[in-house]
Structures are given as structure tokens and as C-alpha cells.
Amino acid sequence: MTPTPSDALVFFGATGDLAHKKIFPALQAMLKRGDLNVPVIGVAKAGWTLEQLLGRARESLETQGGGVDGPVFDKLSSLLRYVDGDYRDPATFDLLRRALGAAERPLHYLAIPQSLFSTVVEQLGRSGCARGGRIVAEKPFGRDLASARALNRALLAVFPEPAVFRIDHYLGKEPVQNLLYFRFSNAFFEPIWNRNYVDSVQITMAESFGVEGRGSFYDQTGAVRDVFENHLLQVTACLAMNAPSSGHPETLGDEKARLLEAIAPLDPKSVVRGQFRGYRNEPGVAADSRVETFAAAKLQIDNARWEGVPFYIRAGKCLAVTCTEVLVVFKAPPGSAFGERIEQPNYVRFRLGPDVAIALGVRSKTPGEAMVGHEVELLATQGIGDEMDAYERLLADAMNGDGTLFAREDAVEAEWRIVAPILSSTTPPYEYQPGTWGPAEADRLMDGSGPWHEPQPAPPRRSS
């Protein structure tokens, strides 16, 4: 059965940074597409009026949303409501219940610190605002396995699992979805997508910038919690999972969870942590901080498809370029019919951002009498950016009850289990120079699989 769409949208943290940067632009985009025509209720403790929230929305669209579309903003203004109050005060939720009016299936978006999740969810249940509704929880979902389980218990005490949407905006990106589609819609992949033909897999998520004024937050988080536990493991699941039996969200979720559960907990000896030089001078960062701004690891997947194939993943700030790229390297042919020594085996390269590409590395004969060849990269697709922002897509999906692009309870807990052995590390991270590919110590993880792949910078955007 097709789920019934939500008939109201409530977002907590309406005056906060996430609403300013992402939610208001997503709302304008949804209105432009005709995907939003229900009351939108912002909730915050700021002492604001509705007029002040509308001013904040206008400022958001001017600076973050590509400009204000007059007629669309008028429509948003007609839909927008505001409830001001303390999340710990039951009166706030009584006001929310009245603001919902006749709505029977509201979607509640928690754009607030996770320390407030349990309080808000309990109040939603007590006030009746949760009845028939759905809830979206922002990442990070917990700080470790125990806290993730505690958050799950709090959410599931009020909302059933199909009504809980744990957001990881990376899953809403078009290139990540294209990775899944490309894998399972092309018959030539399946026979070779396994340990018999694949030599190794590398996933790099690099950022050329630092913490950008978020030192206090980052020093409580680090690279493992910020992107390793969620983005990189979700990409690994999309890359390595078995084909789902259908496109239904549950079957897709089953295969992702099954793959994540097959990944062995990280061995600290197979992990290298780094910190860029100058990080401790950032505002909000402790002078003796041991928080990692770079992490690299070797994963092992204990199933029949991938047994023995190393998966190398890394992420970091102040690296050489900003990009996310996957490289699947195939085994070299057992022998060359033409007596050549092949330096570069075949590969598949998925560029997931900021530009988008899927490329195949093959060999082609060099013109001439000799039977010698050279490497050629065949581009299956190439482009720049997303047509639809990830938050717009995910918000629309949550409103429609489609959980395909959201993380399920069992998957989240499996991810925390994988990184658990390295969360409490007290070993000082290796220092690395900004603008490089991280500490040289990460090279020891490669075990003869060749050097780390170094993605190239994104091509310049063409002027229109």
C-alpha cells in the first residue's frame, strides 16, 4: 500500500542554523515543484514572533537559497505558523496541538541537538501531537552504540519504526542513488562484482577546508563520528550489498543492514588517525586536543561475495581537494597474450561530488604495428552537482512516508558496532600538513594493494 502523505510539517529548531541553511531553501524548492501545500509550523525557544521568523526565512533564501521567489515566498508565508516556547514545558506542545488544527498525520522534524530528542518526543506523545504522525531525526544519531540504542528506544516508545526517518543527507544525493542504479540496472556488473575479480576498493571523502568556525562542535565529534560512521559506511553498503528483491524500502534496507552486519568491527591496528597542523589553534578547540580531523581504515566484509577483498576508506579535512570518490580495482589478467606488463588494472570509478562521473578504466591498442596498448578511461556519465538538493528530496520523501533514502534502526546500530573499537582511542593522532592527502602513516594500511588513489580536483564550472 502507498503511504498516505503527511498533512502538516512541524520543524523544531526553526530559528537555528540548520533551518537557515537547509530547511527554508528546501521548503521554497518544494513549493516551486508543487510538492508542499500543507501547514508548516516552526517551533523554537527564541522569544520571536511569526513576523520575525518570516524575516529569518527571507534572509535564508537570499543568502542560502538562490534568492527569494516572490510568489513562492507569498505562498510560504501563507502556510507558515510559529510556536515559541521551551521544549521542556508541556504548554509549548499544547500550543502546537492547537496550531496543528485538523491535521491528523503531521511530520515532525527534529533540527535540534540530539540531547533534546527524548524530551521533545516524550512531549509529542503526551500532547497527542504524535498520533498518526512521523518523525525525522537529524544526524549524528547518537555518539556510540549505547547512546544510539537509547535514542532508538525513546523514538520507538512513541512512534513505530516505519514512522521514524533517521536522516543522513548524503543518501539523498543524486550521485549516491545513481551508484545504486548503475550497479543493479546493468547486467555486466553482477558476474564480476565479487572477490573472484575485484582486487580492492577505495573510498575517499576529502575536504580541502577546515572546521570553518565549528571548532567547538568538531572537537566533540571528530572525523569518525562526523562522516565515517554514517556517510562512508552507507556508501560502502550501497557499493557492496547484494541486489534487493524489489525497490521497496524494506527490501533495500534489509540488504544494507545485512551487508553492514557482515563488516567486522574495526581493528585499531588497521586504522590511522590524523590531525591537520594548526587545528589546535582553531577557536573552540582544546589546546591539547587529540580529536582526529582525518581517519583511514581497512575494512573486511565477512561474506561469500567479498571475503578477502580489502575495502580502504578515508576521510579528512584540509586535504588536497574537495571530493568524494570510489575506486573499484579489478585483478590483473592471469597472463598477457601480447607479452605486456600491465601497470594499471581495469577499474570502475564513481565520482560522487562535487562533480559527478562514472568511469571505466580499460586498455586499448596503441595505433601501429606492435601489439601494445595504453590505458583509456571511458566516461559513462559526467555532470556537475545535483538538480535537486538532498534536503529537498529527503523532506519530500519523509512527507510521503518513503523510507528508501533513510537509515534504519538496525543499520545505525550496525554502523556504531563497526566503529566502536576506535571511538575511545587515546593515541595521539599523526600530524599532517594542510593541502596534503593526510599523514604518511596511512600508506601502511594498503598491504600491497598499491598506493592510495588521489582524486583530481573538480573541473571548473562553465559560464552560461
Side-chain angles (χ1 to χ4, degrees):
M1 292 179 61
T2 302
T4 305
S6 297
D7 56 3
L9 170 61
V10 181
F11 63 108
F12 294 85
T15 61
D17 192 55
L18 183 62
H20 185 261
K21 290 183 176 179
K22 294 295 183 180
I23 295 178
F24 284 121
L27 294 177
Q28 175 170 265
M30 291 171 68
L31 284 163
K32 282 184 177 180
R33 293 180 189 272
D35 291 339
L36 183 65
N37 193 29
V38 299
V40 178
I41 305 169
V43 186
K45 183 187 178 183
W48 283 19
T49 63
L50 175 58
E51 288 68 29
Q52 287 174 293
L53 185 64
L54 283 168
R56 176 73 165 172
R58 179 179 289 276
E59 179 189 355
S60 163
L61 299 176
E62 289 171 346
T63 59
Q64 309 289 332
V68 177
D69 183 312
V72 173
F73 188 77
D74 290 343
K75 176 67 172 178
L76 176 61
S77 300
S78 71
L79 296 174
L80 192 61
R81 312 283 186 269
Y82 180 59
V83 173
D84 192 273
D86 192 322
Y87 299 145
R88 296 178 177 84
D89 186 352
T92 301
F93 293 83
D94 294 337
L95 289 172
L96 174 60
R97 180 59 266 177
R98 289 197 288 273
L100 284 169
E104 297 179 344
R105 301 175 303 279
L107 175 72
H108 301 283
Y109 192 126
L110 303 182
I112 54 177
Q114 62 178 265
S115 58
L116 295 171
F117 283 9
S118 296
T119 299
V120 170
V121 169
E122 183 180 344
Q123 294 278 22
L124 288 172
R126 181 206 60 80
S127 62
C129 294
R131 190 176 304 115
R134 302 180 174 111
I135 193 159
V136 176
E138 263 290 338
K139 85 164 193 75
F141 197 80
R143 286 186 53 79
D144 51 27
L145 181 56
S147 58
R149 284 174 170 165
L151 282 177
N152 277 326
R153 285 194 298 270
L155 291 174
L156 297 175
V158 177
F159 294 89
E161 175 64 27
V164 177
F165 296 80
R166 300 167 189 82
I167 196 168
D168 181 345
H169 72 272
Y170 214 72
L171 294 180
K173 290 180 174 290
E174 182 70 28
V176 177
Q177 295 176 56
N178 195 23
L179 187 159
L180 272 176
Y181 184 87
F182 198 82
R183 266 203 65 196
F184 297 125
S185 296
N186 292 292
F188 67 86
F189 260 131
E190 183 58 26
I192 60 172
W193 210 250
N194 55 59
R195 61 188 176 89
N196 295 322
Y197 294 93
V198 175
D199 179 76
S200 65
V201 178
Q202 292 188 35
I203 305 173
T204 295
M205 184 175 183
E207 294 172 329
S208 60
F209 50 87
V211 296
E212 297 189 318
R214 298 166 68 237
S216 296
F217 164 79
Y218 202 85
D219 212 39
Q220 299 297 317
T221 308
V224 173
R225 287 185 171 93
D226 190 35
V227 296
F228 235 64
E229 176 272 331
N230 38 69
H231 299 343
L232 285 180
L233 288 178
Q234 284 289 335
V235 171
T236 301
C238 291
L239 193 69
M241 61 187 268
N242 288 330
S245 58
S246 74
H248 190 277
E250 284 302 304
T251 59
L252 184 66
D254 288 344
E255 293 300 338
K256 279 187 179 180
R258 193 171 290 121
L259 187 283
L260 290 166
E261 287 163 2
I263 298 177
L266 286 172
D267 181 350
K269 295 178 181 178
S270 296
V271 178
V272 171
R273 299 164 61 247
Q275 186 184 94
F276 68 79
R277 183 174 299 166
Y279 171 71
R280 295 178 183 180
N281 298 326
E282 294 278 350
V285 173
D288 59 350
S289 174
R290 294 188 174 187
V291 169
E292 76 283 347
T293 62
F294 171 96
K298 177 184 176 181
L299 299 179
Q300 295 290 346
I301 301 177
D302 298 328
N303 65 15
R305 181 186 287 267
W306 297 112
E307 186 72 35
V309 177
F311 280 67
Y312 303 102
I313 64 176
R314 63 176 173 171
K317 291 188 173 293
C318 284
L319 297 184
V321 301
T322 294
C323 76
T324 301
E325 190 159 292
V326 174
L327 189 74
V328 179
V329 180
F330 292 96
K331 294 179 179 180
S336 173
F338 308 109
E340 285 186 291
R341 180 181 178 184
I342 298 176
E343 299 287 345
Q344 174 64 65
N346 301 140
Y347 63 84
V348 180
R349 181 174 64 87
F350 296 94
R351 179 79 161 204
L352 304 182
D355 54 319
V356 180
I358 298 178
L360 307 177
V362 300
R363 288 187 65 79
S364 178
K365 183 182 177 298
T366 301
E369 292 185 6
M371 292 295 286
V372 296
H374 59 281
E375 286 81 28
V376 176
E377 187 171 80
L378 308 177
L379 277 177
T381 182
Q382 186 173 32
I384 301 279
D386 276 334
E387 177 194 355
M388 183 184 291
D389 180 77
Y391 273 87
E392 178 193 351
R393 177 181 283 112
L394 292 171
L395 198 49
D397 282 357
M399 292 281 290
N400 289 318
D402 184 350
T404 304
L405 303 179
F406 294 84
R408 217 167 60 179
E409 173 190 13
D410 49 359
V412 169
E413 293 187 5
E415 289 166 356
W416 282 118
R417 176 192 55 79
I418 293 166
V419 301
I422 63 170
L423 290 178
S424 58
S425 175
T426 57
T427 304
Y430 296 102
E431 187 178 68
Y432 62 95
Q433 186 68 27
T436 67
W437 282 104
E441 287 79 5
D443 294 345
R444 68 172 171 79
L445 299 176
M446 299 306 291
D447 287 344
S449 294
W452 282 100
H453 169 62
E454 296 184 358
Q456 297 301 303
R461 290 179 179 269
R462 296 178 180 176
S463 58
S464 56

